[in-house]
Amino acid sequence: MKKQEVMTLVDKGEMLPLMEEFYTIQGEGFHKGTAAYFIRVGGCDVGCHWCDVKESWNAETHPPTAISQIAENAAKYSDTIVITGGEPLTWNMGPLTRLLKEKNLKTHIETSGAYELTGDWDWICLSPKKNKLPFGRVYDEADELKVIVYNKHDLIFAEEQAALTNANCILYLQPEWSVRDKVTPMIVDYVMKNPKWKVSLQTHKYLNIP
Ligand code: SF4
């Protein structure tokens, strides 16, 4: 296939830059402890300085892959598919989620909300980032808000973001992994004083699994 044809298919969401895919345990947030198949899509320009998947940022380093192949593979492993990145909403998620739904698979997304919400989702985890804020209906549609806490100022940001979400959205504060020893006690204290929040830990990292 010619490069231009591939780019057209990527633009339509019929092909996606696939970084990696793996069957594991969802380590974070509401579904922690639950087996799920993860599809990591390349491409992100949000630029979080503490990002632990910087290899995902440049979409051109990840092979454009037909969504039929992605969906077929995913269906072999799990009935719950988590699309993560990178920032999956860099791309049109409509075609992939349609295919996954046709296979009766549950579709979950982990997104910063920095781009327009596309796709048909059973679960939306919104993890907003200060340098490129979410916008539009993702605040109304989010099932969980997961704010990564790197320092105490992030607690103010968390409250600002929580005020924008819908009433049913479950609120999580999660320590950024590299500073977890420092910020976890602060988060625990904050959640006890503000019990609308819950603590989320990256349990997969404690378990040493992907
Ligand atoms: S939005 Fe996610 S993938 Fe993108 S830079 Fe931030 S942490 Fe990394």
Side-chain angles (χ1 to χ4, degrees), residues 155-209:
L155 298 173
I156 298 166
F157 176 65
E159 291 293 352
E160 289 166 358
Q161 291 297 299
L164 298 171
T165 56
N166 64 82
N168 297 322
C169 189
I170 305 168
L171 306 177
Y172 289 102
L173 297 172
Q174 179 172 296
E176 198 282 316
W177 182 251
S178 68
V179 290
R180 62 191 181 281
D181 291 344
K182 192 171 138 209
V183 297
T184 302
M186 182 180 75
I187 291 174
V188 167
D189 187 52
Y190 191 82
V191 168
M192 287 195 290
K193 288 182 181 137
N194 302 275
K196 70 178 181 187
W197 291 96
K198 297 175 192 289
V199 180
S200 172
L201 299 175
Q202 291 185 294
T203 55
H204 55 296
K205 294 194 177 177
Y206 289 99
L207 294 169
N208 207 16
I209 56 175

Side-chain angles (χ1 to χ4, degrees), residues 5 10 42 53-54 67 103 106 111 120 140 171 182 203:
E5 288 171 339
V10 170
V53 279
K54 291 194 170 99
I67 55 169
K103 295 179 184 297
K106 291 197 271 300
T111 179
D120 180 2
D140 304 325
L171 306 177
K182 192 171 138 209
T203 55

Side-chain angles (χ1 to χ4, degrees), residues 5-116:
E5 288 171 339
V6 170
M7 281 169 67
T8 303
L9 290 172
V10 170
D11 279 347
K12 288 183 182 164
E14 302 283 345
M15 292 183 99
L16 292 167
L18 180 64
M19 178 176 165
E20 57 178 347
E21 44 186 346
F22 46 93
Y23 184 44
T24 188
I25 304 293
Q26 168 60 280
E28 309 175 2
F30 184 79
H31 293 282
K32 68 176 173 302
T34 308
Y37 192 74
F38 279 68
I39 296 169
R40 189 183 302 285
V41 182
C44 183
D45 66 357
V46 176
C48 308
H49 66 91
W50 42 257
C51 178
D52 59 359
V53 279
K54 291 194 170 99
E55 331 73 85
S56 70
W57 290 5
N58 183 357
E60 287 181 15
T61 59
H62 306 294
T65 308
I67 55 169
S68 55
Q69 189 185 320
I70 297 173
E72 209 168 295
N73 206 27
K76 291 181 201 156
Y77 292 90
S78 181
D79 66 356
T80 301
I81 314 301
V82 182
I83 314 292
T84 187
E87 173 43 68
L89 294 181
T90 306
W91 317 102
N92 179 2
M93 285 289 128
L96 175 62
T97 53
R98 207 171 306 129
L99 271 189
L100 295 170
K101 288 282 192 178
E102 279 169 18
K103 295 179 184 297
N104 291 320
L105 303 173
K106 291 197 271 300
T107 55
H108 295 196
I109 185 170
E110 310 257 340
T111 179
S112 68
Y115 292 98
E116 186 193 349

